[in-house]
mmCIF file of all heavy atoms in Angstrom:
data_model
loop_
_atom_site.group_PDB
_atom_site.id
_atom_site.type_symbol
_atom_site.label_atom_id
_atom_site.label_comp_id
_atom_site.label_asym_id
_atom_site.label_seq_id
_atom_site.Cartn_x
_atom_site.Cartn_y
_atom_site.Cartn_z
ATOM 1 N N GLN F 246 99.371 124.215 106.296
ATOM 2 C CA GLN F 246 99.319 122.786 105.856
ATOM 3 C C GLN F 246 100.534 122.035 106.416
ATOM 4 O O GLN F 246 101.640 122.532 106.482
ATOM 5 C CB GLN F 246 99.504 122.754 104.279
ATOM 6 C CG GLN F 246 99.596 121.306 103.700
ATOM 7 C CD GLN F 246 99.737 121.366 102.181
ATOM 8 O OE1 GLN F 246 99.284 122.196 101.521
ATOM 9 N NE2 GLN F 246 100.427 120.372 101.628
ATOM 10 N N GLY F 247 100.215 120.778 106.914
ATOM 11 C CA GLY F 247 101.293 120.037 107.496
ATOM 12 C C GLY F 247 100.927 118.613 107.629
ATOM 13 O O GLY F 247 99.751 118.147 107.351
ATOM 14 N N THR F 248 101.824 117.712 108.113
ATOM 15 C CA THR F 248 101.543 116.396 108.408
ATOM 16 C C THR F 248 101.299 116.044 109.815
ATOM 17 O O THR F 248 102.045 116.494 110.666
ATOM 18 C CB THR F 248 102.807 115.484 107.897
ATOM 19 O OG1 THR F 248 103.090 115.829 106.549
ATOM 20 C CG2 THR F 248 102.538 113.999 107.973
ATOM 21 N N LEU F 249 100.212 115.372 110.060
ATOM 22 C CA LEU F 249 99.794 115.104 111.450
ATOM 23 C C LEU F 249 100.605 113.916 112.051
ATOM 24 O O LEU F 249 100.714 112.883 111.354
ATOM 25 C CB LEU F 249 98.290 114.703 111.524
ATOM 26 C CG LEU F 249 97.740 114.587 112.923
ATOM 27 C CD1 LEU F 249 97.013 115.756 113.429
ATOM 28 C CD2 LEU F 249 96.917 113.307 113.076
ATOM 29 N N ARG F 250 101.133 114.056 113.216
ATOM 30 C CA ARG F 250 101.960 113.028 113.863
ATOM 31 C C ARG F 250 101.279 112.734 115.206
ATOM 32 O O ARG F 250 101.369 113.567 116.104
ATOM 33 C CB ARG F 250 103.352 113.431 114.121
ATOM 34 C CG ARG F 250 104.090 113.587 112.758
ATOM 35 C CD ARG F 250 105.457 114.208 112.927
ATOM 36 N NE ARG F 250 106.152 114.289 111.629
ATOM 37 C CZ ARG F 250 107.320 114.960 111.499
ATOM 38 N NH1 ARG F 250 107.896 115.576 112.589
ATOM 39 N NH2 ARG F 250 107.844 115.038 110.308
ATOM 40 N N ALA F 251 100.560 111.656 115.262
ATOM 41 C CA ALA F 251 99.753 111.297 116.502
ATOM 42 C C ALA F 251 100.704 110.905 117.604
ATOM 43 O O ALA F 251 101.831 110.363 117.340
ATOM 44 C CB ALA F 251 98.740 110.284 116.179
ATOM 45 N N SER F 252 100.337 110.989 118.863
ATOM 46 C CA SER F 252 101.078 110.638 119.944
ATOM 47 C C SER F 252 100.838 109.181 120.281
ATOM 48 O O SER F 252 99.746 108.652 120.209
ATOM 49 C CB SER F 252 100.730 111.483 121.218
ATOM 50 O OG SER F 252 101.179 110.820 122.378
ATOM 51 N N ARG F 253 101.982 108.399 120.684
ATOM 52 C CA ARG F 253 101.805 106.973 120.980
ATOM 53 C C ARG F 253 101.119 106.822 122.405
ATOM 54 O O ARG F 253 100.511 105.915 122.667
ATOM 55 C CB ARG F 253 103.217 106.373 121.097
ATOM 56 C CG ARG F 253 103.749 105.924 119.716
ATOM 57 C CD ARG F 253 105.099 105.356 119.976
ATOM 58 N NE ARG F 253 105.891 105.378 118.702
ATOM 59 C CZ ARG F 253 105.789 104.520 117.720
ATOM 60 N NH1 ARG F 253 104.864 103.556 117.810
ATOM 61 N NH2 ARG F 253 106.537 104.672 116.671
ATOM 62 N N ASP F 254 101.455 107.947 123.182
ATOM 63 C CA ASP F 254 101.050 107.767 124.624
ATOM 64 C C ASP F 254 99.704 108.385 124.937
ATOM 65 O O ASP F 254 99.108 108.156 125.957
ATOM 66 C CB ASP F 254 102.076 108.405 125.509
ATOM 67 C CG ASP F 254 103.474 107.763 125.307
ATOM 68 O OD1 ASP F 254 103.493 106.565 125.213
ATOM 69 O OD2 ASP F 254 104.470 108.466 125.306
ATOM 70 N N ASN F 255 99.257 109.264 124.073
ATOM 71 C CA ASN F 255 97.961 109.981 124.341
ATOM 72 C C ASN F 255 97.118 110.134 123.098
ATOM 73 O O ASN F 255 97.461 110.806 122.213
ATOM 74 C CB ASN F 255 98.335 111.362 124.854
ATOM 75 C CG ASN F 255 97.168 112.099 125.469
ATOM 76 O OD1 ASN F 255 96.005 111.837 125.060
ATOM 77 N ND2 ASN F 255 97.436 112.996 126.315
ATOM 78 N N TYR F 256 95.970 109.365 123.051
ATOM 79 C CA TYR F 256 95.240 109.334 121.806
ATOM 80 C C TYR F 256 94.429 110.614 121.547
ATOM 81 O O TYR F 256 93.913 110.861 120.476
ATOM 82 C CB TYR F 256 94.243 108.093 121.826
ATOM 83 C CG TYR F 256 93.019 108.294 122.678
ATOM 84 C CD1 TYR F 256 91.764 108.617 122.072
ATOM 85 C CD2 TYR F 256 93.084 108.108 124.023
ATOM 86 C CE1 TYR F 256 90.647 108.808 122.785
ATOM 87 C CE2 TYR F 256 91.937 108.285 124.763
ATOM 88 C CZ TYR F 256 90.726 108.628 124.166
ATOM 89 O OH TYR F 256 89.587 108.816 124.930
ATOM 90 N N LEU F 257 94.465 111.583 122.544
ATOM 91 C CA LEU F 257 93.755 112.825 122.389
ATOM 92 C C LEU F 257 94.767 113.929 121.964
ATOM 93 O O LEU F 257 94.440 115.124 122.095
ATOM 94 C CB LEU F 257 93.072 113.183 123.673
ATOM 95 C CG LEU F 257 91.859 112.296 124.084
ATOM 96 C CD1 LEU F 257 91.309 112.658 125.386
ATOM 97 C CD2 LEU F 257 90.766 112.370 122.957
#
Side-chain angles (χ1 to χ4, degrees):
Q246 174 179 331
T248 305
L249 186 104
R250 294 172 179 170
S252 163
R253 280 180 201 278
D254 300 322
N255 189 336
Y256 77 100
L257 294 174

